[in-house]
Amino acid sequence: MGSKRDADRTLGYPTRKDTEVKLPRQTRVKNKTPAPIQSTAEHLIREARDRQVAEFRPPKQKLTDSTELRDYRLRKREEYERLDPPNAMSL
């Protein structure tokens, strides 16, 4: 029989090479000078909130008869089709 390593391979146990963690290469920083304006986490969060678009919620519509329901369904279908055009390549 061979060495202990050979026996481990034949038994299906993972070897050291199999369990080794491979880390990505470390990137080198080219420009190490500080930025002229330092930004803090608080500043970044405040800026992100300012740029957020206010969420718009349309009023809930009450449907009273079948014609309103039909019009509503047609309008929603057209909105959906405008947002998700069919892929020309799939035809």
Side-chain angles (χ1 to χ4, degrees), residues 1-3 5 7 10 13 17 22 26 35-36 41 52 56 59 62 69-70 72 75 83 88 91:
M1 198 145 162
S3 68
R5 283 188 181 161
T10 59
Y13 294 115
K17 186 177 180 183
K22 295 181 180 178
Q26 193 172 18
Q52 261 184 344
F56 173 75
K62 302 280 185 185
L69 177 62
R70 189 180 63 229
Y72 173 77
R75 189 171 60 248
L83 292 175
L91 295 175

Side-chain angles (χ1 to χ4, degrees), residues 1 3-13 15:
M1 198 145 162
S3 68
K4 187 174 181 180
R5 283 188 181 161
D6 294 335
D8 286 350
R9 245 178 240 253
T10 59
L11 293 175
Y13 294 115
T15 61

Side-chain angles (χ1 to χ4, degrees), residues 41-60:
E42 180 184 350
H43 181 264
L44 293 174
I45 291 172
R46 192 178 318 120
E47 200 173 288
R49 277 196 196 135
D50 291 343
R51 291 183 182 192
Q52 261 184 344
V53 178
E55 189 175 324
F56 173 75
R57 292 186 184 175
K60 301 230 177 194

Side-chain angles (χ1 to χ4, degrees), residues 1-3 5 8 14 19 21-22 25-27 33 40 44 48 51 54-55 59-62 64-65 71 73 76:
M1 198 145 162
S3 68
R5 283 188 181 161
D8 286 350
T19 59
V21 177
K22 295 181 180 178
R25 278 191 181 170
Q26 193 172 18
T27 58
T33 59
T40 62
L44 293 174
R51 291 183 182 192
E55 189 175 324
K60 301 230 177 194
Q61 183 178 1
K62 302 280 185 185
T64 56
D65 61 352
D71 293 341
R73 286 180 176 166
K76 286 296 182 180

